Amino acid sequence: MATADARRGNRSLLLRVAEVVDETPEARSLVFDPPDTFEYLPGQFLTVRIPSKRTGAVARCYSLSSSPHRGEPPKVTVKRTYDGYGSNWVCDNVEPGDTIEVLPPSGRFTPKDLDDDFLLVAAGSGITPIMSILKSALSEGIGTVTLFYANRNENSVIFSNELRTLAAEYPRRLTVVHWLESLQGIPTVDQLATFAAPCRDRCAFVCGPGPFMDAAVKALASSGFPRNRVRREIFTSLVGDPFAAVAEAEVAESPAQADDAVAVVELDGGRHTLAWPRDRTLVDIMLAEGIDVPYSCREGECGSCACTMVGGEVAMENTDVLDEDDIADGMILGCQARPVSDRVEIRF
């Protein structure tokens, strides 16, 4: 049996499942033995390798519901979805003592400052990254937190006991509002806007099914929330296998061409100036140079390689994981970006 934090190749690691918690009849949490080195930010996710008889493996992204600031072991929470191969496999098969292969924590659905005041808006399993942010803000921050949490019925409320405990622990800083479709119907844009209006000076984080997030984002906009203070989390199923070793040919340096662009990349306090062939992505050229660029899927579906273009122009094939506001703010996906201008400046 492999131990926790055993490295697989140059990127992934194995985590040992210490405990499986049945949160609701349709949701389970996998609690891992704390690895020797495992750092993550509130709201981030793990890309999990799921065995498949048809393809050998598929990859799915599941949010960490634990907080890195409360001394908790890392935990992901998975809710069954109709015809969801990965979620059903996890809920039906994983037991304590099993090992799960994962990629390093990723994602940009995370607060810049835990001392802010927050409005957290979640529906269903969207509570998972929201829970990580909520606990971290209460533990490390000084602000107030209001959670709006919508579910089908009382039995589908994930973390109900934990939320009750936190509300008792932080009575002056945490307000939890439950919305049950069985009693109140599906929340409308107007109802969400009425709820959100008193919190318009806060940072808002939204996660849940697509239609719910669309309604919530419209409600926040109509309530006067500035665009740059609203974040939403988006997941899609990955098609390829990000756990497969990247072939050397894929990351090999290309011979210099006269029309190569120049990429100036800021990453982890360093500054890199790279030749950028017109037919290669940003992730390609950084891997070729041995730079530890953040990425998971290389398909433009997970957002792990999201970065900000501060100068120049690029073209991208798949940008579904970014919304219009992200693109307006200069955000790009490193695995999709190819240079258009002769010089591109990028900050991770």
Side-chain angles (χ1 to χ4, degrees), residues 26-295:
E26 297 181 341
R28 307 184 92 190
S29 290
L30 309 183
V31 183
F32 300 111
D33 282 335
D36 294 334
T37 56
F38 189 83
E39 296 182 357
Y40 65 99
L41 298 173
Q44 289 194 310
F45 62 85
L46 294 180
T47 303
V48 178
R49 187 177 189 271
I50 307 291
S52 169
K53 293 181 180 178
R54 291 180 297 175
T55 62
V58 297
R60 296 293 184 265
C61 299
Y62 297 121
S63 294
L64 288 147
S65 55
S66 51
S67 165
H69 299 290
R70 290 175 65 91
E72 304 173 337
K75 176 176 71 173
V76 297
T77 303
V78 181
K79 182 179 179 180
R80 292 181 188 271
T81 57
Y82 179 75
D83 276 348
Y85 176 80
S87 63
N88 283 290
W89 185 89
V90 169
C91 289
D92 290 337
N93 293 281
V94 178
E95 298 179 352
D98 290 345
T99 54
I100 302 291
E101 186 176 1
V102 304
L103 294 179
S106 297
R108 55 189 181 81
F109 187 70
T110 185
K112 293 181 180 179
D113 188 348
L114 290 174
D115 285 334
D116 281 334
D117 295 323
F118 292 97
L119 172 63
L120 307 177
V121 184
S125 59
I127 189 63
T128 306
I130 293 292
M131 193 66 171
S132 179
I133 294 169
L134 182 153
K135 291 188 290 186
S136 298
L138 292 174
S139 177
E140 289 296 298
I142 60 174
T144 57
V145 180
T146 296
L147 169 65
F148 178 97
Y149 185 21
N151 280 283
R152 291 196 308 271
N153 52 52
E154 189 173 356
N155 291 332
S156 62
V157 179
I158 304 173
F159 308 130
S160 57
N161 290 335
E162 191 172 4
L163 286 170
R164 192 176 300 113
T165 299
L166 288 167
E169 184 179 353
Y170 299 95
R172 296 184 179 180
R173 295 180 55 207
L174 174 62
T175 300
V176 178
V177 176
H178 290 283
W179 183 286
L180 301 181
E181 181 182 339
S182 58
L183 299 177
Q184 298 156 286
I186 297 175
T188 66
V189 171
D190 287 344
Q191 288 169 326
L192 289 166
T194 299
F195 176 82
C199 304
R200 65 172 60 91
D201 59 341
R202 303 187 185 192
C203 291
F205 285 76
V206 181
C207 190
F212 173 83
M213 287 198 293
D214 290 342
V217 169
K218 289 180 182 178
L220 294 172
S222 68
S223 299
F225 275 77
R227 185 184 67 192
N228 63 356
R229 295 179 72 83
V230 177
R231 300 291 298 275
R232 61 184 290 174
E233 180 68 306
I234 300 174
F235 285 124
T236 59
S237 293
L238 306 183
V239 176
D241 182 6
F243 292 88
V246 179
E248 290 185 7
E250 291 185 70
V251 300
E253 293 187 50
S254 299
Q257 302 291 330
D259 69 340
D260 284 356
V262 173
V264 180
V265 182
E266 295 181 23
L267 172 66
D268 295 336
R271 186 178 175 89
H272 310 272
T273 301
L274 311 171
W276 192 354
R278 304 284 175 170
D279 62 345
R280 307 296 295 275
T281 70
L282 179 63
V283 166
D284 287 343
I285 65 165
M286 294 180 70
L287 290 175
E289 291 291 336
I291 299 171
D292 189 18
V293 55
Y295 77 97

